[in-house]
Amino acid sequence: MQSSKLVLSTVAIAVALTGCAGMSDTQRNTGIGAGVGALGGAAIGAATGNSRSAAAGAAIGAGVGALGGYLWSQRMEAQKRQMEQATQGTGIQVSQTQNNELKLAIPSDAGFDTGRAAIRPQLAGVLDQFSGGLRNNPNAEVRIIGHTDSTGSDAINNPLSIERAAATRDYLVSRGVRTQAIQIDGRGSREPIANNNTEAGRAQNRRVEIYVGERPPQG
């Protein structure tokens, strides 16, 4: 009985969070994920007839759900290590995000010529190895986002950021990665990570970011 109350209370909190006005999509999805995760975690504990297990399961499940439902599996860890080796000396940064996604931050100098969307040989070599891990992960979801600095107008920057993301996607698809697994977007100069008033800052802002998340297997 107590475990049932815990499940209902946890899910109710998450649902209430998702209904708050002014929340971003990320915050709302986190609330939904927490509720679903808590429900699943508590159900596992309840199935054993142990109310403490149900409580612990709810708490752990809420944490996993809040991460957006992505797993950090041995396969993801292996791909991260592989990409860290493949990108040494390229300026490409490899990391694990708080959302359990593998992130590749590709500066323009490592991937594209100024004002162009054609992939440079250095980036092509990295993507060749990257595609192997994606082909072997049927539950992978890939997001590719292009960014520019503030030089030039939106009429130039917005299409260029999308073209670079599309070129990256097309290269991965040409290496056997499923088209359906990849989403692309271009943010132009709208999301700088450094000061556009300096050359060094502009160089950091000209970038492509690749995110890979692994969903739990269905069924």
Side-chain angles (χ1 to χ4, degrees):
M1 182 66 178
Q2 289 180 342
S3 63
S4 298
K5 290 181 179 178
L6 174 63
V7 173
L8 292 174
S9 298
T10 307
V11 175
I13 292 171
V15 171
L17 283 173
T18 63
C20 291
M23 293 183 69
S24 68
D25 289 340
T26 299
Q27 292 169 322
R28 191 171 295 108
N29 290 337
T30 297
I32 294 171
V36 173
L39 181 60
I44 292 172
T48 68
N50 189 326
S51 61
R52 289 187 178 180
S53 294
I60 295 171
V64 173
L67 291 175
Y70 288 128
L71 299 174
W72 190 257
S73 64
Q74 292 182 346
R75 180 163 44 194
M76 291 290 290
E77 180 62 27
Q79 187 169 25
K80 178 175 181 286
R81 290 197 301 267
Q82 179 192 29
M83 297 316 301
E84 286 172 340
Q85 294 178 357
T87 57
Q88 286 183 359
T90 65
I92 298 172
Q93 297 181 352
V94 181
S95 62
Q96 176 186 355
T97 72
Q98 292 183 343
N99 195 36
N100 274 347
E101 291 175 291
L102 173 63
K103 177 182 177 181
L104 270 64
I106 305 165
S108 178
D109 292 346
F112 304 90
D113 291 326
T114 302
R116 303 288 298 277
I119 291 175
R120 297 177 65 181
Q122 181 174 245
L123 176 56
V126 171
L127 294 179
D128 285 339
Q129 296 194 49
F130 189 52
S131 62
L134 296 179
R135 289 195 304 270
N136 294 326
N137 190 347
N139 298 314
E141 296 179 351
V142 184
R143 294 184 294 122
I144 305 174
I145 303 174
H147 302 268
T148 70
D149 63 29
S150 61
T151 304
S153 65
D154 288 346
I156 296 173
N157 291 334
N158 292 342
L160 179 60
S161 65
I162 295 175
E163 289 166 7
R164 286 178 170 171
T168 306
R169 174 201 60 198
D170 294 345
Y171 191 93
L172 291 173
V173 170
S174 75
R175 295 302 185 269
V177 180
R178 295 177 299 113
T179 306
Q180 300 90 331
I182 305 176
Q183 295 182 347
I184 66 169
D185 194 9
R187 307 286 171 81
S189 61
R190 298 188 297 277
E191 296 182 1
I193 57 174
N195 192 336
N196 271 308
N197 292 325
T198 67
E199 176 53 39
R202 290 192 293 273
Q204 292 183 61
N205 292 332
R206 297 190 297 268
R207 69 198 190 278
V208 169
E209 297 170 338
I210 304 177
Y211 297 86
V212 182
E214 180 179 332
R215 290 291 185 190
Q218 300 297 313

